[in-house]
mmCIF file of all heavy atoms in Angstrom:
data_model
loop_
_atom_site.group_PDB
_atom_site.id
_atom_site.type_symbol
_atom_site.label_atom_id
_atom_site.label_comp_id
_atom_site.label_asym_id
_atom_site.label_seq_id
_atom_site.Cartn_x
_atom_site.Cartn_y
_atom_site.Cartn_z
ATOM 1 N N LYS A 178 128.134 131.333 88.820
ATOM 2 C CA LYS A 178 128.005 132.112 90.052
ATOM 3 C C LYS A 178 128.940 133.311 90.053
ATOM 4 O O LYS A 178 128.596 134.378 90.549
ATOM 5 C CB LYS A 178 128.269 131.217 91.263
ATOM 6 C CG LYS A 178 127.244 130.108 91.456
ATOM 7 C CD LYS A 178 125.830 130.651 91.594
ATOM 8 C CE LYS A 178 125.642 131.489 92.848
ATOM 9 N NZ LYS A 178 124.262 132.013 92.991
ATOM 10 N N ALA A 179 130.146 133.143 89.465
ATOM 11 C CA ALA A 179 131.068 134.273 89.359
ATOM 12 C C ALA A 179 130.508 135.353 88.448
ATOM 13 O O ALA A 179 130.858 136.541 88.595
ATOM 14 C CB ALA A 179 132.415 133.793 88.831
ATOM 15 N N ALA A 180 129.657 134.965 87.523
ATOM 16 C CA ALA A 180 128.992 135.938 86.651
ATOM 17 C C ALA A 180 127.738 136.522 87.310
ATOM 18 O O ALA A 180 127.064 137.367 86.707
ATOM 19 C CB ALA A 180 128.617 135.278 85.317
ATOM 20 N N GLY A 181 127.423 136.061 88.507
ATOM 21 C CA GLY A 181 126.308 136.613 89.261
ATOM 22 C C GLY A 181 124.939 136.056 88.912
ATOM 23 O O GLY A 181 123.920 136.687 89.172
ATOM 24 N N ILE A 182 124.912 134.823 88.367
ATOM 25 C CA ILE A 182 123.660 134.251 87.864
ATOM 26 C C ILE A 182 123.178 133.136 88.795
ATOM 27 O O ILE A 182 123.955 132.278 89.241
ATOM 28 C CB ILE A 182 123.854 133.670 86.449
ATOM 29 C CG1 ILE A 182 124.551 134.686 85.534
ATOM 30 C CG2 ILE A 182 122.494 133.276 85.856
ATOM 31 C CD1 ILE A 182 124.949 134.097 84.176
ATOM 32 N N TYR A 183 121.868 133.136 89.073
ATOM 33 C CA TYR A 183 121.254 132.056 89.847
ATOM 34 C C TYR A 183 121.434 130.756 89.071
ATOM 35 O O TYR A 183 121.174 130.686 87.868
ATOM 36 C CB TYR A 183 119.767 132.353 90.028
ATOM 37 C CG TYR A 183 119.044 131.399 90.944
ATOM 38 C CD1 TYR A 183 118.960 131.655 92.311
ATOM 39 C CD2 TYR A 183 118.418 130.256 90.461
ATOM 40 C CE1 TYR A 183 118.293 130.783 93.159
ATOM 41 C CE2 TYR A 183 117.740 129.371 91.298
ATOM 42 C CZ TYR A 183 117.690 129.643 92.648
ATOM 43 O OH TYR A 183 117.016 128.789 93.492
ATOM 44 N N THR A 184 121.875 129.708 89.773
ATOM 45 C CA THR A 184 122.289 128.472 89.079
ATOM 46 C C THR A 184 121.622 127.241 89.667
ATOM 47 O O THR A 184 121.698 126.985 90.871
ATOM 48 C CB THR A 184 123.823 128.318 89.152
ATOM 49 O OG1 THR A 184 124.437 129.471 88.580
ATOM 50 C CG2 THR A 184 124.261 127.084 88.395
ATOM 51 N N ILE A 185 120.977 126.486 88.779
ATOM 52 C CA ILE A 185 120.362 125.206 89.132
ATOM 53 C C ILE A 185 121.241 124.091 88.572
ATOM 54 O O ILE A 185 121.573 124.106 87.387
ATOM 55 C CB ILE A 185 118.931 125.098 88.570
ATOM 56 C CG1 ILE A 185 118.041 126.199 89.152
ATOM 57 C CG2 ILE A 185 118.346 123.713 88.896
ATOM 58 C CD1 ILE A 185 116.657 126.241 88.534
ATOM 59 N N ALA A 186 121.565 123.119 89.415
ATOM 60 C CA ALA A 186 122.371 121.988 88.966
ATOM 61 C C ALA A 186 121.516 120.743 88.871
ATOM 62 O O ALA A 186 120.633 120.517 89.714
ATOM 63 C CB ALA A 186 123.523 121.745 89.944
ATOM 64 N N ILE A 187 121.771 119.938 87.840
ATOM 65 C CA ILE A 187 121.215 118.578 87.775
ATOM 66 C C ILE A 187 122.394 117.615 87.777
ATOM 67 O O ILE A 187 123.312 117.758 86.986
ATOM 68 C CB ILE A 187 120.307 118.373 86.536
ATOM 69 C CG1 ILE A 187 120.965 118.897 85.263
ATOM 70 C CG2 ILE A 187 118.956 119.003 86.745
ATOM 71 C CD1 ILE A 187 120.184 118.574 84.005
ATOM 72 N N ASN A 188 122.338 116.662 88.687
ATOM 73 C CA ASN A 188 123.461 115.751 88.849
ATOM 74 C C ASN A 188 123.266 114.541 87.942
ATOM 75 O O ASN A 188 122.713 113.521 88.329
ATOM 76 C CB ASN A 188 123.601 115.305 90.299
ATOM 77 C CG ASN A 188 124.942 114.612 90.545
ATOM 78 O OD1 ASN A 188 125.688 114.337 89.603
ATOM 79 N ND2 ASN A 188 125.243 114.336 91.791
ATOM 80 N N THR A 189 123.761 114.657 86.709
ATOM 81 C CA THR A 189 123.617 113.595 85.727
ATOM 82 C C THR A 189 124.865 112.737 85.610
ATOM 83 O O THR A 189 124.934 111.849 84.748
ATOM 84 C CB THR A 189 123.305 114.191 84.349
ATOM 85 O OG1 THR A 189 124.379 115.061 83.949
ATOM 86 C CG2 THR A 189 122.004 114.969 84.362
ATOM 87 N N GLY A 190 125.858 112.987 86.467
ATOM 88 C CA GLY A 190 127.126 112.289 86.339
ATOM 89 C C GLY A 190 127.481 111.449 87.561
ATOM 90 O O GLY A 190 126.614 110.953 88.261
ATOM 91 N N ILE A 191 128.785 111.334 87.833
ATOM 92 C CA ILE A 191 129.274 110.446 88.873
ATOM 93 C C ILE A 191 129.752 111.185 90.121
ATOM 94 O O ILE A 191 130.202 110.559 91.082
ATOM 95 C CB ILE A 191 130.439 109.576 88.338
ATOM 96 C CG1 ILE A 191 131.629 110.448 87.910
ATOM 97 C CG2 ILE A 191 129.967 108.691 87.193
ATOM 98 C CD1 ILE A 191 132.848 109.657 87.462
ATOM 99 N N LEU A 192 129.611 112.506 90.129
ATOM 100 C CA LEU A 192 130.032 113.280 91.288
ATOM 101 C C LEU A 192 128.965 113.246 92.378
ATOM 102 O O LEU A 192 127.795 113.014 92.115
ATOM 103 C CB LEU A 192 130.305 114.729 90.888
ATOM 104 C CG LEU A 192 131.357 114.959 89.797
ATOM 105 C CD1 LEU A 192 131.483 116.453 89.495
ATOM 106 C CD2 LEU A 192 132.701 114.384 90.202
ATOM 107 N N GLU A 193 129.377 113.504 93.615
ATOM 108 C CA GLU A 193 128.433 113.630 94.711
ATOM 109 C C GLU A 193 127.724 114.978 94.616
ATOM 110 O O GLU A 193 128.288 115.966 94.125
ATOM 111 C CB GLU A 193 129.179 113.537 96.054
ATOM 112 C CG GLU A 193 129.870 112.218 96.295
ATOM 113 C CD GLU A 193 128.887 111.083 96.491
ATOM 114 O OE1 GLU A 193 127.753 111.347 96.984
ATOM 115 O OE2 GLU A 193 129.224 109.939 96.132
ATOM 116 N N ASN A 194 126.471 115.020 95.092
ATOM 117 C CA ASN A 194 125.738 116.284 95.113
ATOM 118 C C ASN A 194 126.497 117.389 95.830
ATOM 119 O O ASN A 194 126.393 118.550 95.487
ATOM 120 C CB ASN A 194 124.353 116.095 95.764
ATOM 121 C CG ASN A 194 123.350 115.454 94.825
ATOM 122 O OD1 ASN A 194 123.646 115.186 93.663
ATOM 123 N ND2 ASN A 194 122.153 115.222 95.335
ATOM 124 N N ALA A 195 127.268 116.970 96.851
ATOM 125 C CA ALA A 195 128.022 117.956 97.624
ATOM 126 C C ALA A 195 129.018 118.714 96.757
ATOM 127 O O ALA A 195 129.283 119.892 97.015
ATOM 128 C CB ALA A 195 128.743 117.267 98.781
ATOM 129 N N CYS A 196 129.565 118.080 95.743
ATOM 130 C CA CYS A 196 130.498 118.765 94.829
ATOM 131 C C CYS A 196 129.813 119.914 94.111
ATOM 132 O O CYS A 196 130.419 120.975 93.892
ATOM 133 C CB CYS A 196 131.060 117.783 93.794
ATOM 134 S SG CYS A 196 132.182 116.552 94.442
ATOM 135 N N LEU A 197 128.566 119.706 93.751
ATOM 136 C CA LEU A 197 127.804 120.745 93.050
ATOM 137 C C LEU A 197 127.375 121.853 94.015
ATOM 138 O O LEU A 197 127.427 123.034 93.664
ATOM 139 C CB LEU A 197 126.596 120.121 92.361
ATOM 140 C CG LEU A 197 126.895 118.912 91.466
ATOM 141 C CD1 LEU A 197 125.621 118.413 90.789
ATOM 142 C CD2 LEU A 197 127.942 119.256 90.400
ATOM 143 N N LYS A 198 126.974 121.470 95.213
ATOM 144 C CA LYS A 198 126.617 122.458 96.228
ATOM 145 C C LYS A 198 127.825 123.303 96.610
ATOM 146 O O LYS A 198 127.743 124.526 96.731
ATOM 147 C CB LYS A 198 126.040 121.742 97.468
ATOM 148 C CG LYS A 198 124.551 121.501 97.420
ATOM 149 C CD LYS A 198 123.804 122.806 97.597
ATOM 150 C CE LYS A 198 122.280 122.551 97.752
ATOM 151 N NZ LYS A 198 121.552 123.833 97.868
ATOM 152 N N ASP A 199 128.958 122.616 96.827
ATOM 153 C CA ASP A 199 130.164 123.330 97.238
ATOM 154 C C ASP A 199 130.643 124.306 96.167
ATOM 155 O O ASP A 199 131.277 125.321 96.470
ATOM 156 C CB ASP A 199 131.291 122.339 97.559
ATOM 157 C CG ASP A 199 131.034 121.552 98.818
ATOM 158 O OD1 ASP A 199 130.121 121.925 99.584
ATOM 159 O OD2 ASP A 199 131.723 120.526 99.022
ATOM 160 N N ALA A 200 130.324 124.021 94.913
ATOM 161 C CA ALA A 200 130.715 124.920 93.821
ATOM 162 C C ALA A 200 129.823 126.152 93.778
ATOM 163 O O ALA A 200 130.150 127.128 93.088
ATOM 164 C CB ALA A 200 130.658 124.201 92.483
#
Side-chain angles (χ1 to χ4, degrees):
K178 295 303 295 181
I182 311 171
Y183 187 90
T184 303
I185 299 174
I187 47 173
N188 193 352
T189 60
I191 62 177
L192 302 179
E193 298 292 330
N194 281 358
C196 291
L197 308 182
K198 272 288 188 182
D199 291 346

